[in-house]
Amino acid sequence: MKEWKKNKRYKVTFWVLLVLELSSPQPLFPQNYEHLGLMFYNVENLFDTKNDSLKLDDEFTPTGDKHWSYSRYLRKLKNISRVVLESGGWNPPGIVGLCEVENQGVLKDLVWKTGLNHLDYHIIHHESPDVRGIDVAMLYRKNQFTPLESIPIKVDFGEGTRPTRDILYVYGLIKDTIPLHLFVAHFPSRYGGVHNTKPLRYRAAQVLRDTITNILAYEPDANIIAMGDFNDEPEDESMQHLIENGNIINISSPANSISNSAGTLKHQYEWNTFDQFLISKNLSDSTRTVFVATPMKILDFPFLLEEDKGNTGLKPFRTYIGFKFNNGFSDHFPVALELKIK
């Protein structure tokens, strides 16, 4: 009799747990997942101290207007590495897209001369024709992502126009099995006026969209993530052009992102969300092997903020204010998302 009651109690407990499992939005017995963190960061003028005669980098030299010294350079590297480490908590991101880096040398210093040196980050970088010498790049952790191919995609505006950054394309495997197409972009800035520079960003969006369309033509279920500083809002024409065929989703609008901040950078009183993630539609489907687990996060850590004395509230804690060294991080916040892998 006691044994029957004991078994009955176990059976009741089982059925209660089963009912809770079926009715709960968060399963009590979740499937096993692996996670891959991705981050994008405009690091704002990561230059070394050497003068490159082929680039307009003179202000970032010891004798230049900003009096850029080796000690300031090392502090900049330390600050950036802190952001990468903090972004993932106990598990720093497996893939990090970067823009406004001068060359492969500064990336090697970032990986080997900071707290990132024990995380097995590797570098993907190609020199681009930007006249200031700022490029896009990618870091990846070898135990989480295996690159098979990387190509710099030119964005050509025709004769007589100032060249811009290439778009970095990387194809590789997550955990050696799941294909992933990645893009890192830094679209032309608004310097010279929003209206005057608008066609340049639209042209860059065309190049990116055409490349993605070609991939999807051969691989309709391709896993695609594009990240970057697009120098436009999600609602602007260039960004709408990227998603108008329905195969790509922008997960970066304020309604879809997680943040206390109203954007990723601030100009006077106005916040903008120029730093964004776009994903192929299938990556929004949680029934698939790999999918985006969370909305985009704007990483507005308290240490990345300072008081905005000229306007109101707070603003990103940047490296320079004019020609004054501010010992900050960047004029942009980093953004991040997480992939779940069944």
Side-chain angles (χ1 to χ4, degrees), residues 234-251:
E235 310 83 44
D236 287 333
E237 190 175 356
S238 65
M239 302 309 295
Q240 289 297 306
H241 183 59
L242 280 166
I243 65 172
E244 64 187 5
N245 62 9
N247 294 321
I248 297 294
I249 299 171
N250 192 334
I251 58 172

Side-chain angles (χ1 to χ4, degrees), residues 264-266 271 304 306 315-318 330-333:
T264 61
L265 72 158
K266 188 179 184 184
W271 283 95
L304 294 179
E306 65 176 341
K315 64 180 180 179
F317 183 18
R318 61 188 303 174
S330 173
D331 57 346
H332 289 244
F333 292 138

Side-chain angles (χ1 to χ4, degrees), residues 49-115:
T49 60
K50 303 168 188 174
N51 183 25
D52 188 330
S53 61
L54 301 178
K55 301 173 183 176
L56 299 179
D57 66 345
D58 298 53
E59 65 178 343
F60 284 96
T61 58
T63 58
D65 292 336
K66 285 189 164 67
H67 303 289
W68 188 235
S69 65
Y70 188 67
S71 63
R72 290 181 175 182
Y73 170 63
L74 290 180
R75 275 185 272 178
K76 174 83 170 179
L77 292 173
K78 182 180 177 181
N79 285 347
I80 295 168
S81 69
R82 180 185 177 187
V83 177
V84 176
L85 290 168
E86 293 274 0
S87 70
W90 293 103
N91 186 26
I95 294 171
V96 180
L98 299 169
C99 76
E100 294 202 14
V101 296
E102 184 182 14
N103 51 43
Q104 191 159 141
V106 301
L107 293 165
K108 288 180 178 178
D109 287 347
L110 177 62
V111 166
W112 294 112
K113 293 184 178 181
T114 70

Side-chain angles (χ1 to χ4, degrees), residues 14 55 70 130 156 160 198 214 240 302 307 323 329 332-333:
F14 172 78
K55 301 173 183 176
Y70 188 67
D130 181 272
D156 188 4
K198 179 180 175 180
N214 287 336
Q240 289 297 306
E307 184 183 355
F323 294 115
F329 295 79
H332 289 244
F333 292 138

